[in-house]
Amino acid sequence: MPLALVLRRCPSVPDTVHGHTSARERILRCIRESIACRGASPTMQELGLSSTSSVHHHLRRIEELGYIARESGRARGVRLT
């Protein structure tokens, strides 16, 4: 099921993360909502930016800030910390 459909069905998950760009806030919110609703993080394509390179860049920065941890080589290898 596409993440957009999943997110419409999910209750709102708090997404306030000060100091992030709106793209990073949106990515972190999508990760939180996906994990809360499905028990799994979204794939890079489901995060919805124009390129997976952009998603990778934002995920790396969010990880450096300590909000997530990633497992390399896994499509849904993101977890909240």
Side-chain angles (χ1 to χ4, degrees):
M1 176 181 310
L3 183 60
L5 294 176
V6 172
L7 294 180
R8 278 191 226 133
R9 296 179 184 167
C10 293
S12 180
V13 176
D15 65 344
T16 303
V17 181
H18 300 291
H20 287 296
T21 64
S22 22
R24 288 184 189 142
E25 287 178 2
R26 192 169 64 245
I27 288 171
L28 191 53
R29 190 184 96 236
C30 285
I31 292 168
R32 286 179 173 160
E33 290 180 352
S34 178
I35 290 171
C37 293
R38 299 192 291 186
S41 61
T43 63
M44 292 179 84
Q45 291 79 15
E46 289 172 330
L47 289 170
L49 293 183
S50 58
S51 73
T52 55
S53 176
S54 295
V55 173
H56 180 74
H57 170 76
H58 289 300
L59 287 175
R60 184 173 49 235
R61 183 67 181 129
I62 294 168
E63 183 177 29
E64 288 170 359
L65 292 169
Y67 291 100
I68 62 170
R70 298 188 302 161
E71 296 177 43
S72 62
R74 293 197 56 203
R76 298 182 186 275
V78 176
R79 64 179 172 79
L80 298 171
T81 55

